[in-house]
Amino acid sequence: MSGESASAIQKGQVDLLDFIDWSGVECLNQSSTHSLPNALKQGYREDDGLHLDSDADEQLLLYIPFTQVIKLHSILVKGPEEEGPKTVKLFSNKEHMGFSNVNDYPPSDMAVLTPDNLKGKPVLVKYVKFQNVRSLTIFIEDNQTGSEITQVQKIMLYGST
Amino acid sequence: MVLEATMICIDNSEWMRNGDYSPSRFQAQADAVNLICGAKTQSNPENTVGVLTMAGKGVRVLVTPTSDLGKILACMHGLEIGGDMNLAAGIQVAQLALKHRQNKKQQQRIIVFAGSPVKHEKKVLEMIGRKLKKNSVALDIVNFGEEDEGKTEKLEALLAAVNNNDTSHIVHVPAGTNALSDVLISTPIFTGNGEGGSGFAAAAAAAAAGGVSGFEFGVDPNLDPELALALRVSMEEERARQEAAAKKAAEEASKQEKGGEQQASSQDATMTERASASASEAETKTNDMMDDENALLQQALAMSMDDPAINQEAKDTDMSEAASDDPELALALQLSVADSSKDSSSQSDMSKLLADQSFVSSILASLPGVDPNDPSVKDLLASMQNQSESQQKNDDKKPPSEEEKK
């Protein structure tokens, strides 16, 4: 695990948690009891009891603006084996998307998460596409087993400014 | 004070011609919409409200979400009734309109007036509800008008699908004497989610419960003076009837045999109560602030108990004017009025009061909306004087008439 954490925080990359503009963070279709801060915020995300749940169906749409322009290197998504997310699409600098127009734009990057990823292996993104990121939209399209609720325990973003 | 963008979906189908809500379903709906728009824009100046119609040729957006109240009220003019309501399409178009709101920080809300039967399947409505919930749109449903079997069930299912943490509400308004707007004022549709009670809505709700804060009865006399006046007058009448009901209950305990008398006695009681109520208007206002919901409950009870008295009251004024023309009627009226009194001293006091025309006219002048120089009012005064004079004569006639009865 220590080896993993060392590789997770790669050379020059920092945890972008400090650059998140919390006033503008939004999450569509999240459950009211299990909401986004559970997965994003320092302290909450380490607690396995606190996680982000989807509400009406299994999709989730996260919108994370930043206080300054950043470069995104990789993301880490932790979740349970069954309800954890599978297909994750990332959009850079697209404000206020909704579920209806999320498929109208090609994503800046897409990742299909494996159980390994869900255990803590970060996913490297197409760095060239994320050089000038003001806001990040994460669209979780489905989960590992197709269950009704998607659960996310932790989301970490790595990059530089 | 929640920052909100609201789309109001109006039902302007043929079903709205019905008059079971006064003056017509459509007019009652329009009044409610106007009130809602006012409440929303007042609670937060950045709130926006839009309006669309669901029936007619098709769903039509009359005004996109705007904070300009004048524009919203203007578009309510010249609306035509026709066609059939398309609830699903209406909600979907409303959702689309909200999606393109200018200020993305606003919470999204749709208010639907469902007056005609719902022709969609429950499943379809549930799917729409889930989609709304997914996009964090709150939905308020006003179920009025047609009472279709299954309609309530479908709307409840829709609400259950949309509801996220009690942000969505449904209100069932049955047809009756209460105006649609009055019923809505006390619901969460106006008052927000409890924590976010706007000043307008809070004033309206508090006033409905008997208190006075800011605007009396929650209606700005500048915005709608007639409505404010009507509300004030009806509030006074309500108080008078309530006191009459209390008196009636006390009298009922002592005079159980003669049921007819009581109604007639409450007639007199209400007439003087009205006089005394208007005279001590200023005092009772502050006192009544203390009765909150209890007063409202009592008034409702009083109204249901007093229904016969109310009818007789109305008839009384008509009869008084007719009595001046028809002497036989006048005699009959006087006899029925005179029969009631066992307590002749109080009767003569009351008749003295009534006889004092100057006193009565001063009371009438203080009553808002009554012009003492109006000929019909003058006739009424004259006939009342005749009544009081003949009552004094009848006081002598009474013992022999009672003996005859026995």
Side-chain angles (χ1 to χ4, degrees), chain B residues 10-86:
Chain B
I10 296 183
D11 182 1
N12 62 331
S13 62
E14 287 286 345
W15 302 90
M16 293 298 108
R17 287 192 200 275
N18 199 329
D20 53 0
Y21 295 79
S22 58
S24 76
R25 285 181 186 170
F26 186 69
Q27 198 49 48
Q29 201 189 178
D31 292 340
V33 170
N34 291 340
L35 269 176
I36 292 178
C37 293
K40 295 282 179 195
T41 44
Q42 256 195 7
S43 77
N44 186 329
E46 285 192 30
N47 277 353
T48 56
V49 180
V51 177
L52 63 78
T53 52
M54 293 192 283
K57 292 212 182 103
V59 176
R60 188 162 71 100
V61 176
L62 298 174
V63 60
T64 57
T66 168
S67 53
D68 184 356
L69 184 61
K71 203 166 160 193
I72 302 165
L73 296 179
C75 84
M76 293 292 298
H77 277 292
L79 280 181
E80 287 181 359
I81 296 182
D84 240 341
M85 169 179 84
N86 188 346

Side-chain angles (χ1 to χ4, degrees), chain B residues 21 35 127 167 177 193 231 250 256 281 308 330 339 342 375 385:
Chain B
Y21 295 79
L35 269 176
M127 257 185 11
T167 49
T177 47
N193 291 335
L231 284 170
Q256 271 179 10
E281 211 180 277
D339 261 345
K342 279 218 163 161
Q385 255 208 314

Side-chain angles (χ1 to χ4, degrees), chain A residues 25-59:
Chain A
V25 166
E26 276 170 22
C27 180
L28 286 185
N29 200 29
Q30 64 179 339
S31 144
S32 44
T33 44
H34 296 96
S35 55
L36 184 55
N38 288 356
L40 265 188
K41 276 198 173 162
Q42 183 75 32
Y44 292 102
R45 63 190 182 183
E46 311 303 333
D47 186 348
D48 280 344
L50 294 175
H51 47 81
L52 165 67
D53 269 356
S54 68
D55 197 5
D57 63 9
E58 76 282 2
Q59 296 185 339

